[in-house]
Amino acid sequence: MVMLVPLVLKSDPRGILAVMESGAHVPFPIKRVFVIAGMPGGIVRARHAHRAQHQFLVCTAGAVTVVSDDGREQKTWRLDGPSHGLYAPPLTWLEVSDAAPGTSLIVLCDAVYDATDYIHDRAEFTRLAKAGR
């Protein structure tokens, strides 16, 4: 189930520290991390699902809209800072859009990059999600 997970924020005059630990906040061991930044207005990223990979998205600066679909429920999330992360289990279709200027989105994954894990065809995703695989 896609869910918003509160993160630990530590704030002092030097700024904000957002904590993301495997097991405590991120519900899987982290094996890959990537950052999406410099998204031009009007662009939609992701538009895919993963067969087996878990993801955890945190907007470290700015704001983005994430639409998730697990085959049963479609939901829209606005990530606008490091206070929460969005957990997306396998077989979750994601679309990322409406990035504010200066937005930076960090994505934590439980697996290294594997092109065969991606589902880019929406019809295939729908079929697999309905089959529960």
Side-chain angles (χ1 to χ4, degrees):
M1 173 170 74
V2 181
M3 65 181 158
L4 206 56
V5 177
L7 298 175
V8 174
L9 294 182
K10 299 184 185 238
S11 180
D12 67 24
R14 301 170 295 165
I16 298 170
L17 176 74
V19 178
M20 295 161 251
E21 295 178 348
S22 288
H25 312 102
V26 181
F28 53 79
I30 300 164
K31 291 191 179 174
R32 180 170 67 122
V33 177
F34 62 91
V35 174
I36 299 171
M39 257 178 80
I43 296 297
V44 179
R45 294 201 53 123
R47 286 190 174 155
H48 65 266
H50 289 276
R51 297 173 194 284
Q53 183 174 275
H54 295 256
Q55 294 186 311
F56 193 83
L57 292 74
V58 179
C59 187
T60 58
V64 296
T65 298
V66 179
V67 176
S68 66
D69 183 350
D70 64 6
R72 292 177 301 280
E73 178 181 29
Q74 186 171 343
K75 198 163 181 182
T76 301
W77 312 83
R78 188 70 176 166
L79 302 180
D80 59 0
S83 63
H84 288 80
L86 184 67
Y87 169 61
L91 286 180
T92 301
W93 187 270
L94 294 178
E95 296 185 5
V96 178
S97 63
D98 301 323
T103 293
S104 182
L105 182 70
I106 188 168
V107 182
L108 312 174
C109 309
D110 73 330
V112 298
Y113 176 79
D114 176 3
T116 65
D117 188 57
Y118 285 71
I119 305 166
H120 292 285
D121 181 68
R122 187 67 187 247
E124 180 185 4
F125 160 74
T126 301
R127 181 181 57 75
L128 291 170
K130 285 183 180 176
R133 309 189 327 90

